[in-house]
Amino acid sequence: MNTLIFTHAEPKYLPPVILSPDETICGPWYTNLKIDGRYRYRHTLGGIFDASDTLADIRPQDKPDLILVHADSTGGCFPRNLPNHCTKVLLVGDTHHLSFPIQKLVNYASIEPFDAIGVWNRQHAHFFTELGLSNVFWMPGLLFSIPETATAPARTEDISFFGQLNDKHTRRLRILKAVMGAGYQVAGGFLSRRESLELAAKSTAALNVSLNGDLNLRIFEVTQNGALLYTDQLSHFSGLHHFYNDGENIAIYNSIEELLSKIKYYSNHPAEGSRIAGAGQKVTEQHFSLQARSSYFLNLLNNGNCYEAFQLRDEPRCRIRSSSPENKAATLRRIQIYEIIQDIHRTNDAPKVVLTSSVSPFIAIDLADLVRLKQQIVAGPQNYENHIQPLISQMGVRYLTRMDPHAFDSCQVDVCITKREELPTLLPKIRGSKTKVCIWDFDTEDRSLIQTMKSNGFNEPNESTPGLFNPVSIDTNFEISQENEGSPINHTGALSETAAS
């Protein structure tokens, strides 16, 4: 099968993987290379570009039967004008950090038609299905090359870590410092793919700290090489627990204290740690070897039969549909809010977010996969029990609690998500606090609202965080303007008529 792969990935960090012997890999990091007249590598532009030139000089016998576009939040490879004579699949990579990570991908998927969409971050799949994109599935790491298990003469390192350690990884730095501060030596750092695998192969255990509650490649790399994986808890929406479970084939921690306790325990019980590591290695070899991933993927394309977890049938949020232009506009606004809170979650251990009574409860459903988030919704007991609780239960939300309307005055909140109509009541309650305000029905053209917030001690939102106001000072004599209320975004959040109940 002639396969054409477009990818943003730099080969030295994410080496190319062969899904087919008749494969051409294209991207901005590749230079043109022909073997026996067939292109093996093609150079392309980065970002959004017209793919017609790339396809124009391919020999007739090499015309693709399958085109895979590997794209992520970097926006490094968004080919347009792909041909219609073959199957086209979008493989969505990282969508959990950088600017507008989900918006970039749903916008691209909406303007360039694909026959199927595979997502790496399972918890974000519902945004694609909700906007009406079809044949969405979960396929973590399909194009990421995980070389054969590295060999090492002995496991000479007790604990290792490999990955980036910069200002985007503040939580990771805190955890590593705590581990080393407890007297444990941690080998590694930011290494090449081969060096990382070799380090895992000679380590008894390895540490993973996800950037934002995501099921990342390190989980596969560590377990594949037989080291005991210590990884932070991910939400049940992430897909981790479809394959890996604490004490069975990996070790999961919810806090620094629990991590240190487990490191101490397995250090004192090496046989038990070795048993768990061996079980993790078997799971990874069974489901995430190149052969297994390729087989799952081709089964999905050919007849839809595959390992059930990849088909998203158990993800209740994928039943939501935005059935009208108004609903779709609201879904896009919810994605903006999710991206804002996701970035706060990335750098904080337990951020607290409160939704006021007027905003859509579907925001809370979106945020439910940010596992460290402490999320509450302001509602009276009857409204919560009769309307909100049944909905969140149906959507599989586990960590949302009710806040009594009178309790808001005394609580400490990192972010309050509200509507403009509630500002006159809300702002006096958070006077003197550090609470950020995210306005659901924010309009960038509404200068009256922006001026009202600025005059009451809040920064004007920047382009990357639309509707998020950060407190900078406190004005003890402020008044809330109620003029020019504007047109709020309405969102019923209704399930499609065909959605399962």
Side-chain angles (χ1 to χ4, degrees):
M1 177 172 59
N2 289 333
T3 304
L4 189 65
I5 299 176
F6 289 91
T7 179
H8 66 281
E10 191 172 354
K12 68 179 180 180
Y13 295 120
L14 298 173
V17 57
I18 304 300
L19 295 178
S20 163
D22 302 316
E23 184 175 270
T24 300
I25 301 178
C26 312
W29 297 101
Y30 289 85
T31 56
N32 292 333
L33 174 65
K34 279 185 178 181
I35 299 177
D36 296 330
R38 172 190 289 274
Y39 276 107
R40 293 301 179 183
Y41 303 115
R42 293 294 307 273
H43 175 75
T44 71
L45 299 174
I48 300 174
F49 63 93
D50 191 333
S52 301
D53 292 340
T54 304
L55 296 158
D57 60 347
I58 293 179
R59 298 183 307 178
Q61 63 266 39
D62 300 334
K63 293 294 183 183
D65 305 299
L66 172 66
I67 292 179
L68 305 179
V69 177
H70 176 214
D72 73 353
S73 58
T74 63
C77 185
F78 287 165
R80 293 297 317 278
N81 300 319
L82 299 173
N84 295 319
H85 69 267
C86 60
T87 301
K88 296 174 291 183
V89 181
L90 173 63
L91 297 174
V92 177
D94 171 15
T95 48
H96 60 86
H97 77 304
L98 302 181
S99 299
F100 312 119
I102 303 170
Q103 292 181 71
K104 286 176 185 174
L105 273 301
V106 296
N107 289 339
Y108 174 58
S110 298
I111 61 174
E112 182 67 37
F114 288 94
D115 299 291
I117 299 171
V119 299
W120 175 291
N121 296 125
R122 195 177 199 264
Q123 63 266 41
H124 297 159
H126 70 102
F127 290 123
F128 292 82
T129 57
E130 186 171 344
L131 289 169
L133 298 167
S134 58
N135 297 327
V136 179
F137 60 90
W138 177 46
M139 187 56 65
L142 176 65
L143 292 187
F144 285 178
S145 176
I146 307 178
E148 293 300 316
T149 304
T151 57
R155 295 194 181 272
T156 56
E157 303 291 347
D158 290 333
I159 304 175
S160 65
F161 170 82
F162 45 90
Q164 295 190 49
L165 294 170
N166 54 37
D167 58 0
K168 292 184 174 65
H169 301 80
T170 54
R171 180 171 167 270
R172 184 177 291 173
L173 286 167
R174 286 197 299 271
I175 291 175
L176 282 170
K177 287 179 180 178
V179 172
M180 292 186 289
Y184 298 101
Q185 297 294 318
V186 180
F190 185 45
L191 307 174
S192 70
R193 175 60 52 80
R194 172 52 62 182
E195 291 170 332
S196 298
L197 295 170
E198 290 174 349
L199 178 59
K202 64 181 181 180
S203 300
T204 301
L207 176 64
N208 180 46
V209 185
S210 68
L211 184 59
N212 210 351
D214 55 291
L215 192 157
N216 57 30
L217 187 61
R218 195 175 297 104
I219 290 171
F220 307 135
E221 292 172 325
V222 171
T223 54
Q224 175 193 273
N225 284 285
L228 173 62
L229 173 69
Y230 295 106
T231 187
D232 51 330
Q233 179 69 271
L234 308 183
S235 82
H236 63 286
F237 292 110
S238 71
L240 176 70
H241 299 294
H242 283 283
F243 301 99
Y244 303 98
N245 293 287
D246 184 39
E248 180 182 327
N249 43 41
I250 59 174
I252 296 176
Y253 61 90
N254 287 281
S255 64
I256 292 176
E257 293 74 21
E258 186 176 10
L259 171 61
L260 296 177
S261 175
K262 290 193 173 186
I263 291 175
K264 181 178 180 180
Y265 177 82
Y266 289 118
S267 296
N268 293 331
H269 299 81
E272 186 173 353
S274 179
R275 175 189 63 78
I276 294 171
Q281 187 175 36
K282 289 180 181 178
V283 169
T284 301
E285 289 175 347
Q286 178 182 355
H287 294 291
F288 296 103
S289 67
L290 177 57
Q291 182 179 359
R293 285 177 286 142
S294 300
S295 177
Y296 286 144
F297 173 66
L298 292 175
N299 284 341
L300 275 169
L301 288 187
N302 292 331
N303 54 31
N305 294 323
C306 185
Y307 195 76
E308 188 169 339
F310 297 132
Q311 299 181 69
L312 299 170
R313 292 176 181 173
D314 64 337
E315 166 51 293
R317 299 182 301 177
C318 286
R319 303 173 192 149
I320 304 169
R321 294 293 183 271
S322 297
S323 56
S324 68
E326 292 78 14
N327 282 169
K328 289 184 178 180
T331 298
L332 292 172
R333 176 58 181 149
R334 281 179 23 232
I335 292 174
Q336 288 181 335
I337 292 176
Y338 179 90
E339 290 173 338
I340 290 169
I341 304 302
Q342 176 180 243
D343 203 54
I344 293 171
H345 178 266
R346 176 177 60 83
T347 56
N348 292 272
D349 288 322
K352 186 171 183 179
V353 172
V354 169
L355 285 70
T356 61
S357 58
S358 64
V359 300
S360 168
F362 277 75
I363 298 174
I365 293 168
D366 297 337
L367 298 176
D369 55 58
L370 300 175
V371 68
R372 301 189 309 276
L373 197 70
K374 307 300 181 184
Q375 188 179 190
Q376 292 185 292
I377 187 166
V378 177
Q382 185 173 358
N383 181 43
Y384 187 82
E385 182 177 345
N386 294 339
H387 301 288
I388 298 174
Q389 182 63 46
L391 176 62
I392 65 174
S393 296
Q394 183 182 2
M395 291 294 104
V397 175
R398 298 178 182 177
Y399 306 109
L400 176 68
T401 58
R402 183 185 73 85
M403 175 183 285
D404 189 272
H406 302 293
F408 192 88
D409 303 48
S410 57
C411 72
Q412 296 296 316
V413 178
D414 292 295
V415 184
C416 178
I417 303 173
T418 189
K419 289 178 70 173
R420 179 170 179 169
E421 66 189 48
E422 293 195 84
L423 290 177
T425 302
L426 170 68
L427 291 182
K429 292 181 179 181
I430 60 175
R431 180 182 302 179
S433 73
K434 296 180 180 180
T435 301
K436 304 175 190 290
V437 177
C438 184
I439 300 178
W440 159 245
D441 49 344
F442 174 71
D443 181 354
T444 56
E445 302 300 321
D446 188 350
R447 298 305 305 177
S448 173
L449 171 60
I450 293 172
Q451 185 56 46
T452 294
M453 296 301 291
K454 289 177 67 175
S455 66
N456 292 298
F458 289 85
N459 273 329
E460 183 171 345
N462 60 49
E463 291 183 357
S464 64
T465 56
L468 181 69
F469 292 84
N470 295 306
V472 292
S473 62
I474 303 300
D475 182 351
T476 57
N477 297 312
F478 66 78
E479 294 182 358
I480 309 303
S481 170
Q482 299 188 60
E483 298 177 358
N484 300 320
E485 283 295 317
S487 300
I489 301 174
N490 295 315
H491 180 46
T492 62
L495 295 174
S496 67
E497 295 180 355
T498 59
S501 61

